[in-house]
C-alpha cells in the first residue's frame, strides 16, 4: 500500500489528538502566567511565575504531591500482587469458575461515584456501616475510616475498583500460557510454586507492564472518589493534586493558580510517564 | 493416606472454596447496595444490618421522580455508545495503517498517542471548560461525546493496533493477490477477522465512558448529565437516605454491570494489549 | 519469446541487501523452480514478483507490460503460501470464489468454475467447511484450488509442500506436475527440496546470497555446474572435493596428484590455461568399490544403509573422508580396506576461485 494512503488513514487520529493536546495545553500555559480570577474579571495582567509560587507554597501542595504518589504506588502494588495471585487461583477449573470470575470482575463496572458512595456510607460509616457492625460484634471500638484513615479509605476504594481490571488482563494472559511448557516443568519435578514463580510470573511480565501503564494513567487523575467521599479532608489528608487543582479552579475561582497547578500535574505525569512508557515501550512489538 | 486422585480432588476443592470466598467478599459491596435498595430507609440503617425484610420498590420510584433517572440514563447511553462509535471510526483506519504499514516512526507515534492520555484532565480543565462555554458545549451531550472520544482514542488505537498486529500477515497478502483493493481488504478480511478484538475494544471504551466522572461532573449540569453526575448529587452529607441512594446507584450501575457480565468472555479475549504472544 | 522478464532487480531491506541484481527471463508455460540455501532471497524474489515487496531498483515485465510499480491486486498473479493463508472466516467454497467475487464475475460463472476446480482437486465434500476443520493436506488443496480458479497469468508457490508429511508431499508433487501439464500456465516455485526442484522444473534457478548462481535444466545443473556452489548444492550426498597437490603435464593429458594416487585427465577437456591450484570434484555415484585395480584406496569408516543403496564413508590414506554410493547389498563392513575406481569422464575440475574449468567429456570427443 502507498505511503500516502497510510498517511490519509492516520491523519484524523493524529490531527485530533494533536489539537486535543496542544490547544488546551497552550491555553493552560498562557493562563498560568496571568492573573486570572473569575471573581475579579478584567484584571488579566501578566504576572510571570507568581501563580506557580502561589501554588507551590500553598499549604496543600506538599501533602497533595505525596498523597498522589502514595495513592498511585499503593494501588499499583495491591492490584498487581492480588491480581496475579487471584488470576492464577482461578485459572484452573473448579466448581462455579465462571460465576466466580464474573463476581470478581464486577467492581470494574461500578462507576467511581457509586463506588465511593457505597464504601463511604454502607461500608465505612462509623455508626451504621457494615465494618462498624463487624467491629462491634467482635467487641472492638468501631473505626471512623474516613476521618481517621482518609487516604487509606480512598486507597481501598480505588483498589477495589481496579483489582478486577488487573484480574481481567491477567486471566486473558494466562489463557495463552503454554500448557505443554507447564507439563514439561512438571516432568522436570517442578511443584505448583515453582511453576508459578518460574513460568507464570515471567509469562505475565508484559501484561503486568500493561496493567501498570493503564492504571497509572487513571490513578494519577483520581478525582471522583475523593470528591464524593472525603472531599480531600480532613485538612489535606486525602487531597491529591487533581483535587487540589480542582479546588483552586472551581472553589476559589483562581484560574491562574489552577493552571499553574495543572501544569505541575502535567509535569508530574510526564515524569512518571517517562519511566513507564519506556518500560512498556520496550514491550511493545511494533 | 489419600490416593493421588483424592489429593488432587482435595486440592481443587480447597482452591475452589478459597476463590469463592474471595469473590464473595469482593462482590459484597455490590450485593449490599442491591439489597439495600429494596429496604425502607429505617431498615437501611438498622444495626445489626437486616438481611431478611420485606422488599419494597418505592425507592426506585422516588429516584425516578426526584432526579429523572431515565433522562440521565439516556444521556449515559448516548454519550458512551456515541463516542465509542466515533472513536472506532477514527481509530480503526489509524490502527490498521500502523499495524500493516509500519514505518520507523510508527512506534513513536503510538507512544506519543498514549502519552496524550497521560495528560491529567485537571491540567486542562480550565481551558476545556472555557472552550466548551464559548462554543456552547457546556452541559451538552455533544460536548461530552467529543471529550469522551478524544479521551479514549489513544487506548482504542492501541488495543486495535495490537490486535491487528497479531493477524497473520499472509492472509492479507493472499487477499491482495486475489485482487482485493485496500478497501476490500479492510472490509472483507481485516474486520471479519478482528471482530473479537474490535468488540472487546468497544466494550472497554463503553465501560470507561459510562463510568467517566471527571468531565461529566465538571462540564454538565442538569440537562446533559450522565448517570455518574446524577449519582454525585446523592452524596450530600445531610440526612441518611441510603435506601434511595442505593436504589439510584443500582439503577445507575445495573445496565453496565449486566452488559459487562454478558460480554465478559469477549472482554477477556480482547484485553491482551499485544502483551501476550 | 519471454513472458516474464526481470531486469537488474535490486532489493534493499533497511540494512540488508537481499537481492543484488537479478536478471531472468521466463517463457510462457514454463515451470521454473527457485532453489538455494536458507536466507538467499528466494522468497524475497518471489514476493517482489508478486508485488508484496517493492523493488529498490530494476524492472519486472509481464506479458509485454511493465508491472514494477503495479499493486499486487492488479498483477493478475496467484500465490500459494507456505502457511496456506486461507481466509479463516470463510468456508472452502467462499475461499475458492473470493477472487472471482472481487472481480465481479457473474454468479453462474463463479459457480461453474468453483465446481470444476473442486471436482478436480476432490474438494467437493469439504465445500461447506471452514479452514480450521480441514487437515493439512486438505488445506493445501484448497490453497491450490484458490489459485487455480482465477486462471492467473502466473502461479507463484512459496514452499507449498513443506508443511506436509513425506507421503503426502510425494502425492501433491505429482498432482502439481499433472496440473501444470493440464493447465499449461507459467509457474514459479520456491523450494528447499532438491527432489521437488529436479522433478518438477523445466528450468531451475539457483540463488546464492541474493544473486543468481546458475540457471538451467535440472540435468544441466547436475552435469555441467559452473561453480563449486552449484556442484555441491545439487546432488545427494554432496559431491566429493579433493585437493590436487601437484599437476604434471604429459603429452595429451595432465596427471593430477591427489595425495593418494594420480589421476589422468585429458588436456582438451580443460577450458583455458591450467591454473596453479586445482580441486577435483566427483559425485558419490560416480565412484565404485572394486576388489582390486582401483584408482585410490581407503578404509571404510561408516556405512549408512538406505535400503535401496548404501552411502559408504571412506577414509582415504591421507585422512581425507569421501562418500561413495554403493549398491544396497554390497558386502562391506566398517574398518574394511577398499579400493575405489573413479568414472574419469565424470570428474570435474575447479580453479582456485571455485569456478569450473573442465568441459563435459562427450562434448570434447564429439569435437
Ligand atoms: N522484512 C525484512 N527485513 C529485513 N531483512 C529481511 C526481511 N525479510 C527478509 N529479510 C532478509 O532477506 C534475506 C532473504 O530472505 P528470504 O526470506 O528471501 O530468504 P529465503 O531464501 O526465502 O529463505 P528460506 O529458504 O529460509 O525461506 C534473509 O537474509 C532475510 O534475513
Ligand atoms: Mg522463504
Amino acid at each position: 500500500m502507498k505511503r500516502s494512503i497510510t498517511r490519509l488513514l492516520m491523519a484524523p487520529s493524529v490531527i485530533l489528538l494533536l489539537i486535543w493536546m496542544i490547544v488546551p495545553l497552550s491555553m493552560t500555559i498562557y493562563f498560568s502566567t496571568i492573573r486570572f480570577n473569575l471573581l475579579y474579571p478584567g484584571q488579566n495582567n501578566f504576572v510571570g511565575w507568581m501563580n506557580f509560587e502561589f501554588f507551590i507554597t500553598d499549604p496543600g501542595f506538599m501533602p497533595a504531591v505525596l498523597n498522589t504518589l502514595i495513592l498511585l504506588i499503593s494501588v499499583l502494588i495491591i492490584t498487581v500482587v492480588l491480581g496475579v495471585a487471584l488470576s492464577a487461583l482461578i485459572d484452573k477449573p473448579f466448581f462455579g469458575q465462571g460465576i466466580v470470575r464474573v463476581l470478581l470482575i464486577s467492581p470494574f463496572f461500578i462507576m467511581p461515584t457509586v463506588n465511593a458512595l457505597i464504601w463511604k456510607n454502607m461500608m465505612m460509616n462509623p455508626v451504621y456501616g457494615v465494618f462498624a457492625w463487624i467491629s462491634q460484634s467482635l467487641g472492638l471500638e468501631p473505626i471512623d475510616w474516613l476521618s481517621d484513615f482518609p487516604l487509606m479509605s480512598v486507597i481501598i476504594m480505588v483498589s477495589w475498583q481496579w483489582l478486577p481490571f488487573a484480574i481481567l488482563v491477567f486471566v486473558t494472559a494466562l489463557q495463552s500460557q503454554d500448557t505443554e511448557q507447564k507439563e514439561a516443568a512438571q516432568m522436570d519435578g517442578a511443584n505448583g510454586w515453582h511453576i508459578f514463580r518460574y513460568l507464570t510470573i515471567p509469562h505475565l511480565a508484559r501484561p503486568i507492564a500493561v496493567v501498570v501503564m493503564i492504571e497509572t494513567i487513571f490513578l494519577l487523575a483520581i478525582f471522583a472518589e475523593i470528591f464524593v467521599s472525603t472531599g480531600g479532608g480532613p485538612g489535606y489528608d486525602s487531597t491529591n493534586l487533581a483535587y487540589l487543582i480542582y479546588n483552586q479552579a472551581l472553589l476559589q475561582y483562581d484560574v491562574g493558580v489552577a493552571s499553574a497547578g495543572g501544569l505541575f500535574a502535567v509535569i508530574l505525569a510526564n515524569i512518571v510517564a517517562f519511566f513507564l512508557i519506556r518500560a512498556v515501550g520496550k514491550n511493545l512489538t511494533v | 493416606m489419600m490416593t493421588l486422585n483424592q489429593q488432587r480432588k482435595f486440592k481443587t476443592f480447597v482452591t475452589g472454596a478459597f476463590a469463592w470466598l474471595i469473590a464473595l467478599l469482593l462482590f459484597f459491596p455490590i450485593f449490599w447496595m442491591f439489597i439495600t435498595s429494596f429496604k425502607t430507609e429505617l431498615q437501611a440503617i438498622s444495626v445489626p444490618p437486616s438481611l431478611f425484610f420485606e422488599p419494597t420498590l418505592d425507592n426506585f420510584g422516588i429516584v425516578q421522580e426526584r432526579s429523572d433517572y431515565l433522562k440521565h440514563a439516556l444521556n449515559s447511553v448516548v454519550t458512551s455508545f456515541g463516542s465509542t462509535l466515533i472513536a472506532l471510526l477514527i481509530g480503526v483506519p489509524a490502527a490498521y495503517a500502523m499495524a500493516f504499514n509500519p514505518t520507523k516512526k510508527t512506534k513513536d507515534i503510538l507512544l506519543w498517542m498514549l502519552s496524550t492520555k497521560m495528560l491529567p484532565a485537571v491540567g486542562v480543565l480550565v481551558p476545556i471548560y472555557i472552550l466548551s462555554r464559548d462554543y456552547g458545549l457546556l452541559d451538552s451531550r455533544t460536548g461530552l461525546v467529543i471529550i469522551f472520544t478524544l479521551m479514549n482514542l489513544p487506548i482504542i488505537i492501541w488495543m486495535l493496533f495490537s490486535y491487528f498486529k497479531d493477524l497473520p500477515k499472509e492472509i492479507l497478502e493472499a487477499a491482495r493477490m486475489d485482487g482485493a483493493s485496500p478497501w476490500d481488504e479492510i472490509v472483507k478480511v481485516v474486520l471479519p477477522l478482528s471482530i473479537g478484538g474490535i468488540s472487546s475494544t468497544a466494550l472497554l471504551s463503553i465501560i470507561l465512558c459510562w463510568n467517566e466522572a471527571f468531565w461529566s461532573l465538571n462540564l454538565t449540569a442538569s440537562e446533559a448529565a450522565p448517570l455518574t453526575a446524577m449519582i454525585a448529587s446523592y452524596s450530600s452529607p445531610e440526612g441518611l437516605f441510603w435506601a434511595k441512594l442505593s436504589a439510584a446507584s443500582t439503577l445507575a450501575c445495573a445496565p453496565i454491570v449486566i452488559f459487562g457480565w454478558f460480554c465478559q468472555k469477549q472482554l477477556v479475549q480482547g484485553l491482551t494489549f499485544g502483551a501476550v504472544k | 519469446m519471454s513472458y516474464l522478464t526481470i531486469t537488474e532487480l535490486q532489493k534493499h531491506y533497511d540494512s540488508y541487501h537481499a537481492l543484488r541484481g537479478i536478471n531472468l527471463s521466463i517463457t510462457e508455460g514454463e515451470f521454473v523452480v527457485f532453489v538455494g540455501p536458507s536466507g538467499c532471497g528466494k522468497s524475497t524474489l518471489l514476493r517482489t514478483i508478486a508485488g508484496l515487496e517493492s523493488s529498490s531498483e530494476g524492472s519486472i515485465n509481464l506479458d509485454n507490460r511493465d508491472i514494477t510499480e503495479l499493486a499486487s491486486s492488479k498483477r493478475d498473479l496467484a500465490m500459494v503460501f507456505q502457511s496456506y493463508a486461507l481466509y479463516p472466516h470463510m468456508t472452502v467454497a467462499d475461499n475458492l470464489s473470493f477472487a472471482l467475487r472481487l472481480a465481479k464475475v457473474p454468479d453462474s460463472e463463479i459457480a461453474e468454475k468453483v465446481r470444476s476446480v473442486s471436482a478436480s482437486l476432490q474438494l467437493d465434500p469439504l465445500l461447506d467447511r471452514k479452514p480450521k476443520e480441514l487437515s493439512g493436506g486438505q488445506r493445501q488443496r484448497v490453497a491450490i484450488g484458490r489459485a487455480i480458479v482465477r486462471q492467473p497469468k502466473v502461479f507463484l508457490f512459496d514452499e507449498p509442500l513443506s508443511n506436509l508429511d513425506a507421503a503426502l508431499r510425494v502425492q501433491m508433487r505429482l498432482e502439481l506436475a499433472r496440473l501444470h501439464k493440464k493447465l499449461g500456465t507459467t509457474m514459479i516455485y520456491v523450494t528447499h527440496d532438491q527432489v521437488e526442484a529436479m522433478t518438477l522444473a523445466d528450468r531451475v534457478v539457483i540463488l546464492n546470497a541474493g544473486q543468481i548462481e546458475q540457471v538451467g535444466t535440472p540435468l544441466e545443473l547436475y552435469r555441467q555446474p559452473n561453480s563449486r556452489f552449484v556442484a555441491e548444492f545439487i546432488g545427494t550426498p554432496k559431491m566429493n572435493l579433493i585437493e590436487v597437490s601437484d599437476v604434471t603435464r604429459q603429452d595429451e593429458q595432465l596427471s593430477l596428484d591427489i595425495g593418494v594416487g594420480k589421476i589422468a585427465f585429458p588436456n582438451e577437456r580443460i577450458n583455458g590455461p591450467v591454473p596453479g591450484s586445482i580441486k577435483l570434484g566427483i559425485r558419490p555415484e560416480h565412484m565404485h568399490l572394486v576388489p582390486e585395480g582401483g584408482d585410490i584406496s581407503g578404509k571404510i569408516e561408516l556405512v549408512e544403509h538406505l535400503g535401496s543403496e548404501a552411502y559408504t564413508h571412506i577414509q582415504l590414506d591421507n585422512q581425507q573422508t569421501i562418500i561413495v554410493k554403493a549398491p544396497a547389498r554390497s558386502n562391506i563392513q566398517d574398518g574394511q580396506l577398499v579400493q575405489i575406481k573413479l568414472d574419469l569422464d565424470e570428474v570435474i575440475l575447479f580453479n582456485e576461485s571455485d569456478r569450473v574449468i573442465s568441459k563435459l567429456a562427450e562434448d570434447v570427443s564429439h569435437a
Side-chain angles (χ1 to χ4, degrees):
Chain A
M1 196 168 47
K2 296 253 166 57
R3 249 198 148 76
S4 51
I5 302 186
T6 311
R7 292 231 174 96
L8 197 70
L9 293 177
M10 291 179 60
S13 299
V14 172
I15 292 172
L16 283 176
L17 286 175
L18 212 58
I19 296 175
W20 173 238
M21 180 175 87
I22 288 177
V23 173
L25 196 61
S26 40
M27 282 172 78
T28 304
I29 293 175
Y30 170 65
F31 293 159
S32 70
T33 61
I34 61 173
R35 189 180 145 90
F36 190 173
N37 193 311
L38 297 175
L39 294 180
Y40 312 100
Q43 307 179 350
N44 298 343
N45 47 322
F46 180 79
V47 294
W49 294 103
M50 214 175 80
N51 288 323
F52 289 90
E53 266 178 59
F54 204 82
F55 184 74
I56 290 180
T57 51
D58 187 291
F61 175 72
M62 272 323 282
V65 172
L66 279 179
N67 288 339
T68 305
L69 292 176
I70 293 175
L71 184 65
L72 170 68
I73 291 169
S74 350
V75 175
L76 280 181
I77 293 176
I78 293 173
T79 54
V80 168
V81 171
L82 288 184
V84 170
L86 288 177
S87 50
L89 185 71
I90 60 171
D91 189 40
K92 281 209 203 83
F94 58 84
F95 175 72
Q97 187 191 27
I99 302 173
V100 163
R101 206 178 263 186
V102 163
L103 294 181
L104 276 179
I105 61 173
S106 294
F108 183 59
F109 305 136
I110 300 294
M111 48 186 69
T113 38
V114 168
N115 168 2
L117 285 173
I118 304 179
W119 282 91
K120 169 188 167 187
N121 295 317
M122 275 125 52
M123 295 292 126
M124 293 174 165
N125 185 292
V127 183
Y128 307 108
V130 172
F131 287 0
W133 172 68
I134 294 174
S135 300
Q136 269 168 354
S137 336
L138 296 174
L140 301 171
E141 190 70 9
I143 301 168
D144 187 353
W145 286 87
L146 292 179
S147 319
D148 296 342
F149 304 101
L151 188 59
M152 191 147 109
S153 306
V154 173
I155 290 176
I156 292 176
M157 296 173 198
V158 176
S159 304
W160 180 71
Q161 171 126 50
W162 284 96
L163 176 60
F165 175 75
I167 293 178
L168 263 174
V169 174
F170 296 151
V171 162
T172 310
L174 285 180
Q175 284 174 348
S176 74
Q177 198 180 3
D178 189 359
T179 44
E180 278 187 12
Q181 200 187 43
K182 285 199 247 179
E183 283 162 4
Q186 269 169 1
M187 299 303 292
D188 286 344
N191 61 26
W193 165 250
H194 289 144
I195 290 179
F196 179 72
R197 169 69 189 76
Y198 295 107
L199 295 180
T200 306
I201 299 263
H203 179 76
L204 288 179
R206 299 171 70 183
I208 288 175
V210 167
V211 166
V212 167
M213 165 120 178
I214 293 188
E215 284 193 9
T216 304
I217 289 173
F218 287 91
L219 294 179
L220 282 175
I222 286 291
F223 169 77
E225 288 86 341
I226 298 176
F227 175 77
V228 174
S229 66
T230 65
Y236 291 108
D237 286 355
S238 60
T239 298
N240 69 351
L241 267 181
Y243 195 75
L244 184 72
I245 297 162
Y246 169 80
N247 246 338
Q248 293 286 353
L250 290 200
L251 300 185
Q252 302 177 17
Y253 301 101
D254 195 336
V255 176
V257 175
S259 299
L263 281 183
F264 196 85
V266 170
I267 292 167
L268 183 81
N270 273 298
I271 295 173
V272 176
F274 177 77
F275 293 107
L276 271 174
I277 293 216
R278 285 212 337 191
V280 178
K282 251 185 262 161
N283 283 327
L284 275 177
T285 43
V286 174
Chain B
M1 273 309 283
M2 284 195 280
T3 66
L4 198 64
N5 210 354
Q6 280 170 330
Q7 262 183 28
R8 215 171 262 166
K9 270 193 187 144
F10 181 70
K11 239 184 179 170
T12 310
F13 175 76
V14 171
T15 359
F18 191 58
W20 265 101
L21 181 72
I22 294 182
L24 289 177
L25 275 180
L26 280 177
F27 189 73
F28 178 76
I30 299 175
F31 167 76
W32 202 240
M33 164 187 90
F34 183 71
I35 290 290
T36 309
S37 64
F38 293 98
K39 293 179 180 176
T40 63
E41 292 299 351
L42 256 163
Q43 287 164 337
I45 55 169
S46 71
V47 180
S50 54
L51 249 182
F52 303 98
F53 55 91
E54 204 170 303
T56 163
L57 289 173
D58 292 351
N59 299 313
F60 296 100
I62 297 172
V63 168
Q64 167 61 23
E65 218 166 275
R66 181 183 141 181
S67 23
D68 199 354
Y69 166 76
L70 288 176
K71 180 175 89 184
H72 298 301
L74 187 67
N75 286 339
S76 276
V77 171
V78 169
T79 50
S80 42
F81 281 78
S83 65
T84 298
L85 188 70
I86 298 175
L88 281 178
L89 286 178
I90 302 173
V92 166
Y96 167 85
M98 287 195 283
F100 295 118
N101 295 289
T103 61
K104 278 174 226 155
K105 287 198 208 106
T106 302
K107 189 169 177 169
D108 294 331
I109 294 178
L110 202 62
L111 288 179
W112 165 72
M113 286 181 168
L114 272 179
S115 75
T116 65
K117 185 77 192 139
M118 281 283 187
L119 283 187
V122 276
V124 292
L125 170 60
V126 176
I128 296 287
Y129 186 90
I130 291 175
L131 286 173
S132 305
R133 191 192 59 197
D134 293 351
Y135 288 95
L137 294 172
L138 271 190
D139 199 16
S140 81
R141 294 198 289 222
T142 317
L144 266 197
V145 166
I146 294 175
I147 299 239
F148 285 179
T149 302
L150 290 167
M151 181 183 79
N152 285 330
L153 193 55
I155 288 195
I156 285 183
I157 292 180
W158 187 24
M159 272 184 82
L160 290 173
F161 169 83
S162 43
Y163 216 85
F164 290 161
K165 203 68 208 160
D166 289 345
L167 291 182
K169 222 175 152 208
E170 289 198 336
I171 291 179
L172 302 187
E173 292 179 343
R176 236 168 277 172
M177 296 302 296
D178 272 348
S181 64
W183 175 250
D184 289 327
E185 203 178 309
I186 297 189
V187 174
K188 299 198 173 130
V189 182
V190 174
L191 290 187
L193 282 183
S194 46
I195 199 73
I198 292 176
S199 42
S200 135
T201 307
L203 278 174
L204 186 70
S205 164
I206 289 171
I207 293 169
L208 290 177
C209 291
W210 189 279
N211 293 339
E212 203 288 328
F214 184 80
W215 294 114
S216 315
L217 282 173
N218 286 314
L219 296 184
T220 64
S222 56
E223 272 319 296
L227 291 168
T228 35
M230 178 196 97
I231 289 298
S233 72
Y234 282 80
S235 71
S236 54
E238 76 279 2
L240 293 166
F241 298 113
W242 290 6
K244 288 178 205 69
L245 165 65
S246 298
S249 302
T250 303
L251 285 174
C253 297
I256 201 75
V257 171
I258 293 169
F259 183 68
W261 283 352
F262 271 112
C263 307
Q264 185 244 140
K265 275 237 167 67
Q266 203 50 260
L267 199 57
V268 168
Q269 277 160 15
L271 279 178
T272 64
F273 295 100
V276 186
K277 269 284 112 47
Chain C
M1 209 4 249
S2 172
Y3 188 60
L4 178 70
T5 315
I6 299 169
T7 321
E8 283 304 320
L9 193 70
Q10 305 260 359
K11 170 75 189 171
H12 290 271
Y13 288 112
D14 294 342
S15 58
Y16 189 78
H17 196 172
L19 299 178
R20 307 169 178 231
I22 303 284
N23 288 293
L24 183 66
S25 60
I26 295 173
T27 49
E28 188 162 7
E30 223 180 346
F31 198 125
V32 174
V33 173
F34 295 169
V35 289
S38 189
C40 68
K42 305 181 291 288
S43 300
T44 307
L45 179 53
L46 194 75
R47 291 168 54 82
T48 313
I49 295 173
L52 296 173
E53 304 281 353
S54 59
S55 58
S56 313
E57 259 172 67
S59 69
I60 305 172
N61 256 277
L62 174 66
D63 200 8
N64 296 320
R65 181 159 168 233
D66 186 350
I67 59 163
T68 320
E69 296 298 328
L70 205 62
S72 324
S73 52
K74 307 223 171 80
R75 293 193 181 194
D76 202 5
L77 308 174
M79 182 147 169
V80 176
F81 294 83
Q82 183 173 2
S83 63
Y84 314 143
L86 300 177
Y87 308 119
H89 57 299
M90 298 182 196
T91 61
V92 168
D94 289 341
N95 263 282
L96 292 176
S97 60
F98 185 64
L100 298 176
R101 278 181 287 141
L102 285 177
K104 306 243 160 29
V105 174
D107 284 350
S108 55
E109 201 176 319
I110 294 183
E112 179 48 42
K113 285 184 172 168
V114 169
R115 187 158 348 109
S116 89
V117 166
S118 96
S120 74
L121 289 169
Q122 296 119 47
L123 293 174
D124 286 333
L126 309 176
L127 284 177
D128 291 327
R129 296 207 205 160
K130 293 268 177 75
K132 63 165 180 281
E133 299 158 349
L134 302 178
S135 73
Q138 291 167 335
R139 283 179 207 180
Q140 174 65 64
R141 290 214 300 276
V142 177
I144 292 176
R146 188 173 64 177
I148 299 174
V149 231
R150 294 179 37 205
Q151 300 170 320
K153 289 189 170 142
V154 180
F155 287 107
L156 308 173
F157 298 91
D158 194 350
E159 309 199 27
L161 306 186
S162 60
N163 287 343
L164 302 179
D165 69 47
L168 210 50
R169 226 155 139 157
V170 174
Q171 186 197 331
M172 287 307 299
R173 197 174 79 209
L174 275 172
E175 267 181 50
L176 277 176
R178 221 170 275 147
L179 201 70
H180 179 238
K181 212 172 219 166
K182 190 173 109 191
L183 301 175
T185 313
T186 317
M187 294 189 173
I188 305 180
Y189 188 103
V190 167
T191 182
H192 262 117
D193 186 320
Q194 268 196 46
V195 182
E196 277 172 31
M198 299 304 262
T199 53
L200 287 172
D202 294 324
R203 276 196 306 158
V204 176
V205 176
I206 300 194
L207 288 163
N208 181 24
Q211 280 173 316
I212 293 185
E213 196 66 41
Q214 190 173 354
V215 183
T217 65
L219 212 61
E220 273 165 11
L221 294 179
Y222 178 78
R223 298 221 52 212
Q224 278 181 288
N226 52 23
S227 67
R228 170 176 171 185
F229 179 84
V230 175
E232 288 194 308
F233 193 79
I234 302 287
T236 341
K238 238 164 63 168
M239 176 182 275
N240 294 299
L241 281 182
I242 305 171
E243 198 71 40
V244 175
S245 57
D246 190 34
V247 186
T248 347
R249 278 175 185 284
Q250 291 162 350
D251 312 336
E252 289 286 287
Q253 54 187 26
L254 299 177
S255 168
L256 310 174
D257 185 350
I258 54 172
V260 288
K262 292 204 161 105
I263 306 280
F265 196 83
N267 236 336
E268 51 182 6
R269 274 189 63 201
I270 305 256
N271 236 338
V274 180
S277 150
I278 294 182
K279 273 190 238 44
L280 176 152
I282 182 146
R283 297 194 184 276
E285 52 272 36
H286 297 143
M287 294 195 279
H288 311 279
L289 304 181
V290 289
E292 55 198 26
D295 298 300
I296 51 180
S297 60
K299 188 171 83 178
I300 295 190
E301 202 177 55
L302 176 78
V303 183
E304 292 178 288
H305 289 286
L306 272 69
S308 60
E309 58 199 357
Y311 300 162
T312 54
H313 297 245
I314 298 172
Q315 193 170 53
L316 299 181
D317 295 342
N318 67 349
Q319 305 304 314
Q320 187 181 359
T321 308
I322 60 169
I323 302 180
V324 174
K325 237 185 223 180
R329 270 173 293 172
S330 43
N331 203 0
I332 35 181
Q333 276 152 10
D334 295 0
Q336 191 179 334
L337 295 176
V338 287
Q339 300 259 320
I340 305 156
K341 184 136 190 62
L342 278 58
D343 289 343
L344 291 178
D345 280 356
E346 302 291 344
V347 166
I348 293 176
L349 298 186
F350 303 91
N351 66 11
E352 60 275 277
S353 46
D354 290 329
R355 309 306 298 178
V356 171
I357 53 166
S358 55
K359 298 186 218 167
L360 274 181
E362 61 256 37
D363 288 355
V364 174
S365 52
H366 287 181

